[in-house]
Amino acid sequence: MHYDLTDLRLFVAIAELRNLTRGAERVHLAPSSASHRIRLLEESIGTPLLIREARGVKLTRAGEALLRHARQVFAQLEQMHADLSPFAKGVKGHVNLWANTHATHTFLPESLSAFLRSHPQVSITLEEHTSPEIVMAVARGEVEVGVVAESVEGAEVVFIPYRADRLVLIAPVDHPLAAQPSTAFVDVLDQPFVMLHAGSAIHTFTMNAAAALGRHLEVRIQVRSFEAVCRMVGAGVGLGMVPRSAIPDGPARAALAILELQEPWAQRDLKVCVKKREQLSGFAAALVESLTGSVQDEPPP
């Protein structure tokens, strides 16, 4: 198949406007030139993309597939431009950092702010993944630095202590559980829960913890932040499980009862994960040093 970005831009314009002439105008082409390009594009692909009608055009199934993929292509191009633009502005280095939900929503904002203030020539891409996904990506060399709460047996990586924290159960202050200092996770699985959105690392972790007990968690509502979880729980929507560090101060905290979870997995000490510290690129090494100070590496499990 032979086509270029101009062909794809033209096709997207025509498909969105459902009109060849107006699509050609959007990309600054003459209608005759646009018609010729579309005909060559259809010949190259080997199937019609548009059905010509009296008042415009409509897409064939092949045209709908091409439109979907073309939009993805242009979205990727925009992301590429966004990723490259800092270098044109004088940024000298870039670090990819993967972290679990816990770290991303609690400690990392402050830590990364401090690092970037002292390293203005560096940019960071932060992606949220589950701890096992992060450990395996580091072990495979796909990402240099991760922040995790769990290890993966046999993964050839090292862990460096970052922050100590613990998952706790939160309930409305007038809930029957509120008088208890602690609870087992299994004892609250018949209660409705407020959770972070599906796909977040802590959502996956919590659902897996329930499944390991042969139970299914009733999720009443999903939100986008730990702060929103706390506010929903305080309003009586359901129970929540959050890191202790994520519970806000002030009126929002006053509306919550905080119960210790009795499970060993509730202790969620965060660690920086790298393959080999001595093999890190310069800016990745500087980031690890900023996050952990002079703390010694821990060997893999």
Side-chain angles (χ1 to χ4, degrees):
M1 291 186 289
H2 301 284
Y3 52 87
D4 56 26
L5 290 178
T6 300
D7 293 331
L8 292 183
R9 287 194 179 93
L10 171 63
F11 176 76
V12 170
I14 294 171
E16 290 179 345
L17 296 172
R18 293 294 194 269
N19 186 282
L20 191 146
T21 300
R22 285 189 288 153
E25 291 175 353
R26 177 186 283 185
V27 296
H28 310 293
L29 288 174
S32 59
S33 176
S35 180
H36 179 67
R37 280 181 172 271
I38 291 297
R39 185 172 67 255
L40 292 179
L41 180 60
E42 290 177 322
E43 290 176 358
S44 176
I45 293 175
T47 186
L49 300 171
L50 302 173
I51 299 173
R52 280 72 172 175
E53 298 180 326
R55 295 190 175 183
V57 298
K58 68 178 182 179
L59 299 180
T60 64
R61 292 188 65 180
E64 291 173 352
L66 178 59
L67 177 61
R68 183 173 65 255
H69 287 291
R71 284 170 168 165
Q72 291 172 352
V73 166
F74 290 121
Q76 284 294 108
L77 284 173
E78 288 300 318
Q79 185 61 56
M80 180 184 73
H81 295 156
D83 290 344
L84 291 176
S85 64
F87 295 96
K89 298 175 183 177
V91 172
K92 305 299 183 183
H94 185 82
V95 181
N96 288 319
L97 171 65
W98 286 17
N100 68 349
T101 310
H102 185 168
T104 301
H105 288 256
T106 54
F107 300 109
L108 277 178
E110 182 177 341
S111 295
L112 294 181
S113 175
F115 173 76
L116 292 171
R117 281 197 303 270
S118 61
H119 296 80
Q121 75 278 39
V122 181
S123 64
I124 294 174
T125 297
L126 174 61
E127 295 186 25
E128 183 181 310
H129 296 271
T130 65
S131 291
E133 289 172 342
I134 296 167
V135 171
M136 295 310 299
V138 170
R140 292 190 297 264
E142 297 172 4
V143 62
E144 284 193 277
V145 185
V147 181
V148 302
E150 302 172 66
S151 60
V152 175
E153 186 174 355
E156 296 183 356
V157 297
V158 294
F159 300 96
I160 312 162
Y162 171 51
R163 294 288 189 275
D165 207 354
R166 187 173 180 85
L167 290 176
V168 295
L169 188 80
I170 55 175
V173 290
D174 58 354
H175 193 279
L177 288 170
Q180 298 180 200
S182 67
T183 185
F185 185 54
V186 70
D187 292 337
V188 296
L189 289 180
D190 58 343
Q191 300 279 340
F193 268 73
V194 179
M195 296 281 292
L196 284 191
H197 59 93
S200 65
I202 198 164
H203 183 283
T204 301
F205 174 85
T206 307
M207 299 302 282
N208 287 343
L213 296 169
R215 302 284 295 278
H216 177 73
L217 202 65
E218 179 192 343
V219 179
R220 176 169 287 177
I221 190 169
Q222 298 179 41
V223 294
R224 303 294 298 187
S225 68
F226 285 133
E227 179 183 3
V229 172
C230 292
R231 290 177 64 85
M232 288 288 180
V233 172
V237 174
L239 304 181
M241 191 168 72
V242 299
R244 185 181 292 276
S245 61
I247 301 174
D249 294 324
R253 190 185 190 100
L256 299 173
I258 302 171
L259 290 76
E260 296 290 338
L261 284 163
Q262 297 168 3
E263 280 69 23
W265 50 251
Q267 187 63 36
R268 302 289 284 174
D269 294 339
L270 297 171
K271 300 174 182 179
V272 172
C273 172
V274 301
K275 189 171 179 65
K276 290 186 178 180
R277 194 165 183 172
E278 61 273 16
Q279 294 180 358
L280 291 171
S281 62
F283 290 119
L287 175 60
V288 171
E289 176 65 24
S290 177
L291 294 176
T292 65
S294 59
V295 178
Q296 294 297 308
D297 300 357
E298 293 185 6

